[in-house]
């Protein structure tokens, strides 16, 4: 039997997305849901390993896909130690850090563990691609102004890297030949300067940068400190106000960009102001990242779910079009990005990295 398919595994908190890809195209895909009553049986995320793996194998059987038809298995990377971007072979050292949860527990930690188990059973390679732990910061970007609080790389690396490759290809260039600013616009917003393929800075989408549909972005730090000591809020309540109940939802009662635009169309001036404020702050962050690249920018690239909005893109473009050509790639296709990473290594286009050799 020909080994022609790449199995893609993308674990989320209450579901696991799976797909079979061939020649760069999806053949079969499904979102496997995990009811809370099932997940509540497990004390830790990694305890879900057998449960999730069995469901994936059952899906393959239902689709009539033999394990012997797989050429590789690739999964979303978890909260590993800080590493450069790229496609990584899943090694024993990586598995240990995923099991420990070296930077925290998350469903994505299961991806590499399951991928290696299935891959090893067939004698085929298992990979992860551009995990959240990607850290390519230059030293100057880590300085915060307080030695105890260095700035950290927390970025939508998988989609940003994948979109950067597509934009570079559309410009007839290789990703390591040009500089770009990539803005990933979703529930969280990451605006990253990409220098010859490396993400050398980024706002922390959970704690800073532009306000987003449900996050505050950067806040006035003095007022925030006073709020913390006011006695009115618990730690958990304040964390929720910053991420989950901040941004558009705090002002408008919704984190759905489509609903906000309906409000604007119906003459809601507050909704119009808040939407404009979000695009203003995104544009301001893009401008800051242009300075990081000393103005040497070949493209400003917009991606993520919010990029489907014509109004949002027009408002951002109006403020940043002087920097570089404006390009839009709406949505985020993590499954395709994972499959493409594995395909590049299988074809020899990209040399896979070894986790323990790259850990910082």
């Amino acid at each position: 039997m020909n080994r022609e398919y790449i199995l893609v595994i993308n674990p989320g908190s209450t579901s696991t997305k799976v797909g079979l890809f061939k020649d760069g195209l999806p053949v079969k895909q499904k979102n496997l849901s995990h009811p809370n009553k099932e997940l509540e049986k497990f004390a830790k995320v990694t305890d879900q390993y057998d449960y999730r793996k069995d469901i994936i194998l059952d899906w393959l059987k239902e689709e009539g896909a033999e394990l012997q038809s797989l050429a590789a298995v690739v999964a979303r990377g978890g909260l590993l130690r800080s590493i450069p971007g790229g496609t990584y072979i899943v090694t024993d050292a990586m598995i240990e850090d995923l099991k420990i949860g070296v930077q925290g527990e998350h469903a994505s930690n299961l991806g590499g563990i399951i991928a290696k188990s299935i891959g090893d059973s067939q004698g085929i390679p298992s990979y992860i691609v551009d995990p959240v732990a990607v850290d390519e910061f230059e030293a100057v970007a880590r300085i915060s102004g307080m030695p105890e609080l260095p700035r950290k790389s927390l970025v939508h690396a998988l989609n940003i890297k994948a979109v950067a490759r597509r934009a570079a290809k559309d410009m007839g260039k290789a990703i390591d030949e040009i500089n770009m600013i990539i803005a990933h616009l979703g529930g969280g917003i990451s605006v990253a300067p990409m220098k010859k393929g490396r993400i050398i800075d980024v706002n922390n989408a959970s704690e800073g940068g532009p306000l987003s549909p449900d996050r505050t972005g950067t806040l006035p730090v003095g007022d925030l400190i006073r709020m913390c000591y006011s006695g009115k809020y618990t730690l958990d309540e304040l964390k929720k106000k910053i991420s989950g109940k901040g941004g558009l939802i705090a002002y408008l009662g919704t984190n759905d960009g489509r609903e906000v635009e309906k409000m604007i169309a119906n003459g809601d001036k507050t909704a119009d102001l808040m939407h404009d404020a979000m695009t203003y702050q995104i544009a301001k962050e893009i401008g800051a990242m242009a300075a990081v690249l000393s103005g040497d920018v070949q493209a400003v690239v917009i991606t993520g779910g919010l990029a489907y909005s014509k109004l949002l893109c027009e408002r951002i473009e109006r403020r940043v079009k002087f920097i570089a050509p404006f390009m839009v790639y709406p949505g985020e296709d993590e499954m395709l990005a994972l499959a493409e990473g594995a395909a590049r290594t299988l074809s020899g286009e990209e040399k896979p990295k070894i986790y323990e050799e790259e850990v910082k």
Side-chain angles (χ1 to χ4, degrees):
M1 180 177 290
N2 291 333
R3 292 194 175 274
E4 54 189 351
Y5 298 113
I6 295 173
L7 172 62
V8 180
I9 301 171
N10 186 354
S13 57
T14 59
S15 67
T16 302
K17 294 177 182 177
V18 290
L20 287 171
F21 284 72
K22 179 181 178 182
D23 299 328
L25 297 173
V27 178
K28 301 177 186 293
Q29 291 192 85
K30 190 167 184 179
N31 190 22
L32 305 173
S33 297
H34 309 310
N36 284 329
K37 64 180 181 180
E38 292 294 331
L39 299 182
E40 287 170 358
K41 298 175 183 178
F42 306 104
K44 298 188 302 180
V45 167
T46 50
D47 293 340
Q48 300 171 19
Y49 162 73
D50 286 319
Y51 166 74
R52 295 213 193 203
K53 178 185 172 184
D54 288 345
I55 289 176
I56 293 169
L57 294 176
D58 288 343
W59 172 74
L60 288 170
K61 288 180 182 176
E62 289 172 10
E63 296 293 349
E66 300 285 344
L67 291 176
Q68 292 84 353
S69 68
L70 302 180
V73 188
V74 61
R76 183 180 175 197
L79 296 176
L80 294 157
R81 300 177 195 272
S82 295
I83 51 177
T87 300
Y88 285 78
I89 295 172
V90 183
T91 62
D92 290 337
M94 181 188 291
I95 293 294
E96 286 306 308
D97 279 353
L98 290 171
K99 288 180 177 178
I100 294 168
V102 68
Q103 288 209 67
E105 276 204 29
H106 191 272
S108 60
N109 289 3
L110 288 164
I113 300 172
I114 296 172
K116 183 169 174 58
S117 174
I118 295 174
D120 285 358
S121 74
Q122 296 299 308
I124 58 176
S126 52
Y127 304 109
I128 64 164
V129 182
D130 293 324
V132 178
V134 165
D135 183 348
E136 299 170 331
F137 273 18
E138 294 183 343
V140 69
R142 301 186 191 281
I143 308 302
S144 69
M146 186 178 289
E148 298 92 339
L149 301 175
R151 294 184 67 244
K152 298 178 181 178
S153 176
L154 182 63
V155 59
H156 296 89
L158 182 60
N159 188 49
I160 284 176
K161 292 268 190 176
V163 167
R165 290 187 185 94
R166 288 170 201 156
K169 184 178 180 181
D170 287 346
M171 289 187 284
K173 301 288 186 180
I175 190 174
D176 58 1
E177 293 178 332
I178 57 176
N179 298 337
M180 293 178 273
I181 299 167
I182 315 285
H184 173 99
L185 312 180
I189 290 174
S190 292
V191 182
M194 183 168 284
K195 183 178 181 181
K196 305 293 190 287
R198 294 181 298 113
I199 299 172
I200 62 170
D201 199 346
V202 74
N203 62 284
N204 182 327
S206 296
E207 300 175 5
L211 71 89
S212 77
D214 60 15
R215 303 179 198 182
T216 63
T218 301
L219 293 170
V221 67
D223 290 338
L224 180 60
I225 290 171
R226 284 185 281 276
M227 183 180 279
C228 290
Y229 283 90
S230 68
K232 296 180 181 179
Y233 307 98
T234 67
L235 173 61
D236 285 342
E237 286 171 341
L238 276 171
K239 287 167 69 175
K240 265 286 173 60
K241 282 180 75 68
I242 291 170
S243 182
K245 294 184 177 180
L248 295 183
I249 197 169
Y251 289 87
L252 303 175
T254 180
N255 60 0
D256 188 327
R258 294 164 297 185
E259 289 300 317
V260 174
E261 292 195 21
K262 286 180 184 177
M263 295 164 72
I264 295 170
N266 290 330
D268 190 320
K269 292 184 178 180
T270 301
D272 190 36
L273 175 62
M274 289 309 306
H275 187 275
D276 195 33
M278 182 172 70
T279 60
Y280 170 91
Q281 292 184 18
I282 293 166
K284 188 164 69 168
E285 195 76 19
I286 290 170
M289 296 312 180
V292 168
L293 294 168
S294 303
D296 181 12
V297 183
Q298 281 69 63
V300 173
V301 182
I302 306 297
T303 185
L306 292 179
Y308 283 108
S309 165
K310 182 180 179 182
L311 175 64
L312 179 136
C313 290
E314 286 177 346
R315 284 181 161 178
I316 297 171
E317 184 178 14
R318 185 174 69 242
R319 296 184 185 274
V320 305
K321 61 184 178 182
F322 72 94
I323 297 172
F326 190 81
M327 307 172 75
V328 179
Y329 295 82
E332 54 177 309
D333 197 336
E334 292 181 333
M335 300 295 282
L336 177 60
L338 291 169
E340 287 175 341
R344 287 193 301 272
T345 62
L346 291 175
S347 69
E349 178 184 343
E350 178 181 331
K351 183 179 179 181
K353 294 179 177 177
I354 307 298
Y355 175 65
E356 47 269 41
E357 295 176 0
E358 301 287 347
V359 167
K360 296 183 180 180

